[in-house]
Amino acid sequence: MLALLCASSSEEILAQCEGILDLRLFTTMSELRRYAAIGDVEGILIDARLGVTTAIRERLPQIPIFEFTLPFDLSAVMRWTEQMRSQRTSENSQPVATMENVEVAPSATPSSLPPIQEAKPPYATVTLNAVEGFRHTVTPGVRRRTVPVIMLDSPKGGAGRSTLGAHTAYYAALRGKRVAVIDLDMNGDIAQKFGFADAPDVRGWRGRSVEEAVRDGICLVHESSVHIFPSPQSPEVVLQDPTDAEYLLNLCLEEMDVVLLDMPQGWTPIHQAVLPYTTQVLFVVVPAVDQLARIQEHADKLVFAGLSNHEVAPILNKAKRVRADERAMQHYLLPFSIRSVVPFDPTIDKRGGVNGKRIVQAMRPFWDEVLGWSATRERRRWFGFLRKA
């Protein structure tokens, strides 16, 4: 069976391949992994618009992948399928050298005989079932620390990602947490939220501690003890090096209690580098009609990246009609559920800083839950009750 991961036009592709290829549409990463574990997936067809080819290849390295673009070319897929099957047949048909089919001449000396392999101990031969074999082929993930690593993510700029991140860091610092903010967005201004105008260049820095970063001027310290690693504000830099981002993240994990990552918009190699360390993704969106397609596409990318529902927290920001916007946006964020709705505040950009009262009121229950100050609660609506007479 071939697996199909498609952003749109899936019905047309399935109809085109009907009777020719055994093709099945997958919409969740967990379902794809389950079928791959039992050996039912022969290959994967991935729509290039999803941008998840690298993530799927890392999580399922044993399955061949064919990336296509619209219009769908059935003949190219059939040629790729035949090459894949012929290669697999040639690998399985290679003769195995045994002692029975080795001819030894009478004048052969012991040195010319083929070497005899030593028998392996009994504990070295372990029989694995399909699921266990799949687990041994997947690259082991990064060891998750108890330090919360919060990724501030959004499909498009202007969603208020940096503003929410600055308020989150400030709230955690006032509660006694050692907070580090790593700005990975070249167009980000999270350092300006704390009153810093000049941003140092952190590219290529390889210190050994956060204290050393402060001495070198790489890390900025706010009066609330929030440590900020700003992004280099240079028109020559389009995207920060993922190696630098991963190094700063590992450095902060050793000394800090909370780490916030202000990500660039969209889905970049930086996302793939820091995603294994992330414990919570703040998926910040705004209720705008022109962004619905990007929001839905970005939610699909998070799903195919292997993130579960409790690891992704969609935050509806700048909502003018709280309940109506929440009901309208929930359909585009599936399978994730909206965790918090922040009302629109027209004066926050004029005031600046981290003094948004509406943000604090809306985000405080979520902050307490993520930072470990309160138990997990599901958001429920109050419809009242009827009291019996």
Side-chain angles (χ1 to χ4, degrees):
M1 177 183 66
L2 298 177
L4 175 63
L5 308 180
C6 187
S8 61
S9 306
S10 58
E11 297 180 356
E12 299 177 1
I13 296 176
L14 292 174
Q16 188 177 357
C17 298
E18 185 177 1
I20 302 176
L21 297 175
D22 184 10
L23 194 62
R24 179 187 176 93
L25 178 65
F26 287 85
T27 57
T28 61
M29 186 64 187
S30 59
E31 183 183 12
L32 179 60
R33 282 185 171 182
R34 184 169 64 251
Y35 276 84
I38 61 179
D40 287 350
V41 180
E42 185 181 7
I44 305 176
L45 307 181
I46 301 179
D47 191 348
R49 294 174 297 173
L50 293 175
V52 298
T53 304
T54 304
I56 298 296
R57 184 175 286 110
E58 292 178 354
R59 286 163 174 75
L60 302 175
Q62 77 280 10
I63 300 180
I65 294 177
F66 180 85
E67 189 179 41
F68 66 91
T69 56
L70 295 181
F72 183 75
D73 190 358
L74 179 59
S75 59
V77 177
M78 293 180 63
R79 290 193 299 268
W80 171 75
T81 306
E82 292 298 330
Q83 294 176 1
M84 177 180 60
R85 292 175 179 174
S86 61
Q87 182 180 2
R88 186 176 304 171
T89 303
S90 62
E91 292 177 356
N92 296 334
S93 61
Q94 291 180 356
V96 180
T98 58
M99 293 301 298
E100 297 178 358
N101 55 19
V102 176
E103 297 181 0
V104 182
S107 59
T109 59
S111 60
S112 62
L113 294 177
I116 301 177
Q117 298 181 354
E118 297 182 359
K120 297 181 180 180
Y123 58 81
T125 58
V126 181
T127 304
L128 300 176
N129 55 22
V131 177
E132 291 296 328
F134 169 72
R135 290 174 180 172
H136 283 72
T137 57
V138 176
T139 304
V142 179
R143 179 176 60 88
R144 288 182 179 265
R145 295 171 49 85
T146 56
V147 177
V149 179
I150 303 174
M151 177 189 292
L152 307 171
D153 192 23
S154 65
K156 192 178 183 298
R161 180 180 61 248
S162 300
T163 302
L164 292 180
H167 282 77
T168 304
Y170 190 63
Y171 181 80
L174 294 181
R175 298 292 293 269
K177 296 287 187 179
R178 294 174 298 175
V179 185
V181 179
I182 304 177
D183 192 358
L184 303 175
D185 185 9
M186 294 297 103
N187 299 321
D189 57 348
I190 196 168
Q192 299 177 7
K193 306 293 183 183
F194 293 95
F196 297 102
D198 298 331
D201 193 351
V202 301
R203 292 175 297 170
W205 182 82
R206 292 295 183 268
R208 296 185 178 181
S209 64
V210 177
E211 182 180 358
E212 184 178 351
V214 175
R215 291 198 305 265
D216 295 343
I218 300 299
C219 179
L220 306 176
V221 183
H222 188 250
E223 59 183 7
S224 61
S225 74
V226 176
H227 291 67
I228 307 168
F229 292 87
S231 62
Q233 301 295 327
S234 174
E236 301 176 356
V237 183
V238 179
L239 187 66
Q240 193 166 344
D241 188 2
T243 306
D244 294 340
E246 193 171 357
Y247 184 84
L248 293 176
L249 177 56
N250 282 283
L251 185 70
C252 294
L253 284 176
E254 298 296 331
E255 304 182 28
M256 295 297 172
D257 298 329
V258 180
V259 180
L260 278 80
L261 305 175
D262 190 7
M263 307 299 295
Q265 64 179 7
W267 191 262
T268 64
I270 300 181
H271 289 77
Q272 302 175 8
V274 302
L275 192 62
Y277 302 88
T278 305
T279 59
Q280 189 74 45
V281 177
L282 261 65
F283 186 17
V284 184
V285 297
V286 293
V289 179
D290 58 342
Q291 298 186 19
L292 296 180
R294 290 191 177 185
I295 292 173
Q296 189 174 18
E297 181 181 357
H298 201 80
D300 294 337
K301 292 179 180 179
L302 294 176
V303 171
F304 286 113
L307 296 175
S308 60
N309 193 9
H310 70 275
E311 292 176 323
V312 179
I315 306 297
L316 186 58
N317 194 22
K318 302 179 182 179
K320 296 182 180 181
R321 299 174 301 171
V322 176
R323 294 302 181 189
D325 291 342
E326 181 181 1
R327 289 192 299 266
M329 294 296 297
Q330 182 59 57
H331 172 72
Y332 298 95
L333 294 169
L334 292 176
F336 309 115
S337 302
I338 296 178
R339 302 292 295 275
S340 182
V341 181
V342 181
F344 177 69
D345 188 356
T347 62
I348 190 171
D349 293 334
K350 297 179 181 180
R351 295 195 307 265
V354 285
N355 53 2
K357 295 182 179 180
R358 295 185 182 182
I359 295 178
V360 176
Q361 293 175 357
M363 295 290 296
R364 179 179 292 177
F366 174 75
W367 289 337
D368 293 341
E369 176 187 333
V370 173
L371 300 176
W373 289 318
S374 64
T376 304
R377 295 180 180 180
E378 296 182 358
R379 297 181 67 249
R380 297 180 180 179
R381 295 181 181 176
W382 174 253
F383 294 100
F385 63 92
L386 297 178
R387 179 178 298 177
K388 295 182 179 181

